[in-house]
Amino acid sequence: MMQTGALIVAAGKSSRMGDFKPMLQLGSISIAQRVINNFRQAGISKIVVVTGYNADALERHLASNHVIFLRNDDYETTHMFDSVRIGLEYLKDKVDTVLFTPVDVPLFTAHTVTQMLSLGQPLVTPVCNGTPGHPILIRSSLIESILSNDGNTGLKGAVEHCGTPMYCLNVEDPGIIHDTDTPEDYAELLRAHNQSLIRSEIQIQLAREKVFFDEQLYSLLTLIHETGSVRDACERMHISYSTSWNLIHTLESQLHEPLIIRSQGGVKGSHSELTPYGEEFLKRYARFSEETRTCSEAIFEKCFRGFFNA
């Protein structure tokens, strides 16, 4: 079940800002939530957030966003590339493509992401008015080469030496270069946000008498499939063990089929894996979600073209 993944690095101390950047408000949501929403709108469901400074608070803040949390416990003595390494190491054998951005670039559009993915290039950076920005697209086949770099020149240097030239995609999306390093940057970000275009956003849920499956459960089951452990999946998503089992039991009762095989004890401890039915169910949900979002974007454009900026 290979797919596209997103990697958001949010481990730094935001020292130049003087406040914790990921949780600063941008309209009615935070900067970190906006970055996640941009990737979700582009149809990316596997989203990894690397935390470090203020990790507990940020993970609680994002717990309802159905992302995977990894930690850089050495954030005080390491650089951003070290956090990128943690995320790439985790994603390298789970996705075909990674889209990377630091958390402080929240205004890039989903359209830019879909443009980048449509190119079929192994390494892509978006460029606006001659300036490269984020997110950066990296095919998984390049990750080992990037990870083997000594990191002395950061991610930029590692990418430059990975053996594949960067493809520069010109886009009309100034959000790719709006970052939030200083209070002045934040003020400019707020101004740009207030002028940004209205976009559609949908949630894909399945229901019988009540909703029994959504993006949170999709992420949870995918993680169980990858880790072989319900407990590990819960820790990665920052949800409780009991809550996850309640969700799984409700899902299985609505589908009248087991989705998880559980084995207890043994030398290696308990183990959980998806049944063949569970794997097929996830594949079909992923395809349904992707096709629904694509149709939704076309319908939105048809119904609202020129209306909001008239």
Side-chain angles (χ1 to χ4, degrees):
M1 296 189 292
M2 299 294 275
Q3 56 187 306
T4 298
L7 171 58
I8 304 168
V9 167
K13 297 177 69 173
S14 309
S15 54
R16 292 177 60 195
M17 170 58 69
D19 205 342
F20 189 46
K21 289 188 289 188
M23 292 172 62
L24 289 174
Q25 288 297 112
L26 193 60
S28 60
I29 59 177
S30 68
I31 284 176
Q33 288 170 327
R34 177 61 184 269
V35 178
I36 292 168
N37 285 355
N38 293 344
F39 284 129
R40 290 259 189 254
Q41 190 191 9
I44 299 173
S45 58
K46 185 180 290 297
I47 300 176
V48 170
V49 180
V50 179
T51 63
Y53 175 72
N54 218 6
D56 287 335
L58 180 58
E59 289 173 11
R60 285 194 301 270
H61 173 67
L62 297 177
S64 62
N65 290 91
H66 322 320
V67 298
I68 301 162
F69 296 108
L70 304 175
R71 286 200 185 186
N72 178 359
D73 292 320
D74 300 319
Y75 66 89
E76 289 190 277
T77 57
T78 57
H79 301 286
M80 186 176 72
F81 184 54
D82 298 285
S83 296
V84 173
R85 282 183 191 274
I86 292 170
L88 291 181
E89 186 68 45
Y90 174 81
L91 286 168
K92 65 181 182 181
D93 57 356
K94 298 177 177 66
V95 298
D96 299 306
T97 305
V98 175
L99 284 146
F100 159 73
T101 186
V103 74
D104 61 355
V105 186
L107 293 186
F108 64 89
T109 66
H111 180 63
T112 290
V113 174
T114 55
Q115 278 185 288
M116 294 170 69
L117 289 169
S118 71
L119 292 172
Q121 295 286 339
L123 201 57
V124 183
T125 186
V127 177
C128 183
N129 297 325
T131 303
H134 290 90
I136 297 171
L137 181 150
I138 304 169
R139 292 284 188 227
S140 58
S141 58
L142 302 178
I143 290 178
E144 283 293 354
S145 175
I146 291 171
L147 290 174
S148 67
N149 190 273
D150 59 20
N152 289 336
T153 52
L155 178 61
K156 185 175 184 294
V159 166
E160 288 175 351
H161 291 91
C162 74
T164 297
M166 178 71 77
Y167 183 93
C168 294
L169 172 67
N170 289 309
V171 296
E172 295 181 6
D173 180 7
I176 68 165
I177 53 178
H178 278 301
D179 61 13
T180 327
D181 280 340
T182 65
E184 292 75 22
D185 291 337
Y186 181 47
E188 175 62 20
L189 198 70
L190 289 173
R191 185 198 64 77
H193 169 266
N194 292 336
Q195 294 179 350
S196 61
L197 296 177
I198 293 174
R199 67 195 195 280
S200 67
E201 222 172 87
I202 60 173
Q203 294 184 347
I204 311 298
Q205 299 176 323
L206 302 181
R208 189 166 262 139
E209 292 84 5
K210 61 181 180 180
V211 172
F212 64 85
F213 195 78
D214 57 14
E215 291 172 353
Q216 180 186 33
L217 256 174
Y218 175 79
S219 297
L220 178 65
L221 292 186
T222 301
L223 274 174
I224 293 170
H225 177 71
E226 292 172 357
T227 64
S229 167
V230 175
R231 192 173 298 280
D232 287 350
C234 292
E235 290 177 358
R236 293 271 169 84
M237 291 185 65
H238 215 279
I239 61 175
S240 75
Y241 186 69
S242 60
T243 295
S244 71
W245 275 117
N246 287 336
L247 292 170
I248 292 167
H249 289 149
T250 298
L251 172 61
E252 291 183 330
S253 69
Q254 292 294 302
L255 293 176
H256 307 298
E257 288 281 351
L259 276 78
I260 295 179
I261 302 170
R262 305 102 169 169
S263 60
Q264 300 294 327
V267 176
K268 296 183 179 180
S270 61
H271 178 79
S272 298
E273 63 184 56
L274 296 188
T275 63
Y277 180 91
E279 290 190 42
E280 182 62 24
F281 175 72
L282 284 194
K283 290 178 184 177
R284 289 174 182 252
Y285 175 85
R287 187 167 70 245
F288 171 66
S289 178
E290 180 181 356
E291 293 185 14
T292 300
R293 292 179 191 280
T294 300
C295 291
S296 173
E297 290 173 11
I299 295 168
F300 178 84
E301 177 65 17
K302 177 182 177 181
C303 293
F304 287 101
R305 184 184 294 113
F307 178 77
F308 293 114
N309 55 359

